[in-house]
Amino acid sequence: MPITFRDVSFTYAAKTPFSYEALKGINLQIDEGDFVAIVGRTGCGKSTLIQHMNALLNPSQGCVEIDDFHNDSDKKKRTKKVKPLRQKVGMVFQFPEYQLFEETVEKDVAFAPKNFGMKPEEALQKAHEALGEVGLDESFYTRSPFELSGGEKRRVAIAGILAASPEFLVVDEPTAGLDPKGAETMMDLFRSIHEKGTTIILVTHDMDLVLKYCNKVIVIDDGEVAEITTPDHLFDVDVERYSLQSPLLFSFASSLLKGGLAIERDQVSDVPSLAKEIARCIR
Amino acid sequence: MKNFALGKYVPFDSLVHRVDPRVKIFATIALLVAIFLPQETYSMTFLVEGVLFLLALTLLFISHVRFRDILLSLRSLWFLVIFLLVIYIVVPKKENVLGIAWNLNGWIVYWDAFAEAGKIVLRLVTMIMVTMVLTATTKPLDLTYALEWYMTPLKVVRFPAAEVAMTVSIALRFIPTLLEDASRVMKAQASRGVDFEHGRLWQKITGLTALIIPLFVSSFLRSEELANAMECRGYDPRKKRTRYRTFRLHVRDVLGLLLVAAILAGVIVLLAMHIDLFALWGIHAL
């Protein structure tokens, strides 16, 4: 089942002098199996948007539908029980390492599944699976999360969300503050989660990631949906309008195309795929 | 959490805002003393308290504090009013001068009970309003600087006035940051299935640890970063520091001081000389 936004508006501190309209009539749909990027300049409303997806915020107007859950502006129409929704839509905030609090890594990761009603042993089992998924082995299970390195902490925090086996995974800037190698490993992790059938919603400023991993881009500009398109199409048109910049790789591929090399640009997502396309053309 | 009215700074450029914070602190204390000095008769008490009440109201009006905020900060007094009335009615004074309000089969209630309760309530209301003038018109940072100035004489006995002021101002500065952190962590833990509102008691308690521990961790990190940043910029608590904003007394400050001193002196004179203004005017008041 998709996530559907129907005419969603959101105003912070409504009816006060500080009132600020962060979202203005958002209409969009995120299908199951998508790897969607949400992009836009700082302060355009991306974070506000994603918080509607698991009812951390309720819209001021309109409705967000996720399966049979209605996050409606009208309290009477709103589904009361939020826990099933929060299990279904996992949310990884920016710098998730700040949410760790337990004594051991495995306890921290088992926290969410336990909250969602799993038995302790079952939750621990899930935690171990999730830790394996993010690439942390048994030696980490009984260590304190506070003695780990920054990157490891972040993996633990992400495992803490994965352990609840969400169908949708919303990640806000997961590569912020990581070194290039670490960022790549992190993104490959999300790709493998995606391949196992989880829908990924990625909020990012990094257009290279959008080109490499996503099949759909939602551009938010000043609280409105500016465009819903493919990465290839977005970078082809005027991206500077949204304070975005085409990835170097994409510009290079475009120049090749202009220069007469008949590569198929929508096949290009990273260096190896570009090399493959060039090889195919000059063969 | 964000809309408490008492103690909130109201940004505005009024005459009261411009008065030196040191003068304002002194004036507040002087007025509080004047409010709580006991007068001899009810009529004199209500006269003096009434004048002080009007003065506080005028000051609030000049400072552009919204009337709604004043009412909000006084709202919690209702309980006290009723409580006091009950106490004074049930436990009457020995000497009652105002006469009997009603007599129900031997249960005598004197008007004095209402007068006594009214006296205390009027004092409390005026006290809250006077302190509100101070907090509404003085930035928290200016308040701490002014407090530091008052504490400087204590340096003689090795009291670390500057350090205390710095600590207080840093603490004040980080209240909004801490609130922001708290709301961020709450959201993250809510995504992990913590229900801070409903849920069973035990779940709420574990939920609270999931909020407090991350807050502690980030606060410690932040304080360490801040300490490093301060040292990088050469902060040395033992050195004498200069200020971007220096306090200098203006004419308005002196006038304000004189006004408040005159009020306090007047109240003390009335009390010490047993003066009953009503009697001077030939009115017999109780």
Side-chain angles (χ1 to χ4, degrees), chain A residues 12 17 51 54 56-57 80 82-83 86-87 89-91 93-95 98-102 108-109 111-116 146 153 157 160-161, chain B residues 8 11 66 183-196 198-200 203 206-215 217-218 221 225:
Chain A
Y12 281 106
Q51 285 179 44
N54 71 353
L56 286 173
L57 292 177
K80 292 280 163 332
V82 290
K83 265 197 188 181
R86 293 197 174 145
Q87 200 236 309
V89 184
M91 182 89 62
F93 282 94
Q94 215 170 341
F95 300 109
Y98 287 119
Q99 69 191 34
L100 303 175
F101 72 100
E102 279 283 13
D108 202 286
V109 178
F111 182 63
K114 253 197 273 179
N115 280 330
F116 291 125
F146 298 109
K153 271 189 201 169
I161 308 292
Chain B
K8 197 166 65 175
R66 279 184 307 170
S183 98
R184 211 188 55 208
V185 175
M186 265 171 105
K187 277 182 175 166
Q189 304 299 24
S191 300
R192 295 215 274 165
V194 178
D195 199 339
F196 287 104
H198 313 95
R200 273 166 290 168
Q203 284 180 325
T206 43
L208 219 55
T209 54
L211 168 66
I212 289 171
I213 294 177
L215 271 185
V217 172
S218 65
L221 278 178
E225 272 171 19

Side-chain angles (χ1 to χ4, degrees), chain B residues 1-4 179 186:
Chain B
M1 221 183 314
K2 277 176 189 157
N3 41 14
F4 49 93
L179 284 177
M186 265 171 105

